[in-house]
Amino acid sequence: MSLKRTLATAERVLAQLRGDHRTVALMLVVPVVLMALLKWVYYDNDAVFNSIGLPLLGIFPFVTMFLVTSVATLRERSSGTLERLLSMPLGKGDLLIGYQLAFGLFAILQCLLATAVAFGLLGLDVAGPLWAVFLVAVLVALLGTAIGLALSAFAKTEFQAVQFMPAVVLPQFLLCGLLAPRDEMQPILSAISNVLPLSYAVDAMKSITTSTVVTTQTWVDLLVVFGFIVASLVLGAATLRRRSE
């Protein structure tokens, strides 16, 4: 891997994204709109909004970054861009880390905007520190980016990439502990939830909701999420193909 080539890749992706206004709007605006809609749904029940609002503040960016990253990567492969890039002295690690850096910057902006609106305008109120909320939201968004990069290798068309969302994201949403406590699920479902990264992200968010300090268990949950990010990037490097067949 080369830092220069990695940064060059990130710069190229950022330049492309700046010219794609619809994708930028999807990444930056959609999570804010969804948080506002959630507040409207629970406009007369602040307790429920505070309880589920924080986990969803991480889940919404996770979904949008997963979708955008998987489609964007597949588009470059199907157009032949990846084949041209990989024919040059550019390793798969340079390419994937460059993508992660570029989309990671938008993930940071996305979470910063969504967090500011949620706490500043929508009145979201939790016990934990605001910096911890932002940290978890960014990590979850980066997780969506990494998984999107990894799974894009298994799709041949953009439509197939989109199909991964209900197959990968929705089961995690149902089993992550947001809709029902994980320890009260059927044993098989609880066991599955224990190996899903979004479960640990939601556990960290719930801890911040009720605790005034960042507990050791919260740091453990975040470390697990970070481990999934690294594992997804490694998988992406191992399965990356130059072109769609």
Side-chain angles (χ1 to χ4, degrees):
M1 286 184 58
S2 167
L3 178 61
K4 182 179 180 180
R5 290 194 290 264
T6 298
L7 294 178
T9 299
E11 184 178 359
R12 180 185 62 82
V13 175
L14 285 174
Q16 291 178 337
L17 288 174
R18 285 195 297 268
D20 190 345
H21 302 299
R22 286 176 294 183
T23 299
V24 171
L26 175 64
M27 289 188 288
L28 299 183
V29 178
V30 169
V32 174
V33 173
L34 292 176
M35 287 300 299
L37 181 60
L38 182 69
K39 174 64 175 180
W40 194 8
V41 171
Y42 295 109
Y43 72 96
D44 60 348
N45 196 334
D46 290 339
V48 175
F49 176 66
N50 291 332
S51 175
I52 69 173
L54 191 57
L56 288 176
L57 186 62
I59 292 175
F60 290 154
F62 171 84
V63 174
T64 56
M65 295 308 298
F66 170 84
L67 181 61
V68 169
T69 306
S70 58
V71 171
T73 307
L74 180 63
R75 184 178 300 170
E76 291 220 319
R77 192 171 72 244
S78 60
S79 66
T81 301
L82 286 185
E83 184 176 26
R84 292 191 296 271
L85 290 173
L86 292 176
S87 65
M88 299 185 294
L90 181 70
K92 293 182 178 181
D94 298 318
L95 187 69
L96 288 177
I97 298 300
Y99 267 92
Q100 186 74 7
L101 288 176
F103 283 103
L105 178 59
F106 274 95
I108 292 174
L109 294 175
Q110 178 189 68
C111 294
L112 183 62
L113 181 61
T115 301
V117 170
F119 284 87
L121 297 180
L122 303 180
L124 184 63
D125 184 25
V126 298
L130 189 57
W131 65 263
V133 172
F134 178 70
L135 175 61
V136 177
V138 169
L139 276 178
V140 180
L142 292 177
L143 175 67
T145 300
I147 295 177
L149 286 171
L151 293 183
S152 66
F154 298 97
K156 294 182 179 180
T157 65
E158 292 181 22
F159 180 66
Q160 289 181 356
V162 173
Q163 287 177 318
F164 277 123
M165 190 171 73
V168 175
V169 175
L170 292 185
Q172 293 195 65
F173 178 77
L174 294 175
L175 300 177
C176 68
L178 181 63
L179 303 181
R182 294 198 292 129
D183 55 2
E184 295 181 7
M185 296 179 181
Q186 294 293 324
I188 182 63
L189 297 181
S190 180
I192 294 174
S193 72
N194 288 335
V195 297
L196 298 178
L198 203 57
S199 300
Y200 296 92
V202 170
D203 285 349
M205 283 292 198
K206 284 185 174 181
S207 175
I208 296 172
T209 301
T210 57
S211 176
T212 57
V213 297
V214 181
T215 65
T216 301
Q217 183 57 48
T218 301
W219 286 115
V220 171
D221 291 332
L222 294 182
L223 185 61
V224 172
V225 173
F226 180 76
F228 273 106
I229 293 174
V230 174
S232 297
L233 291 176
V234 171
L235 175 64
T239 59
L240 182 64
R241 294 174 294 168
R242 294 184 177 188
R243 291 187 62 90
S244 296
E245 298 177 357

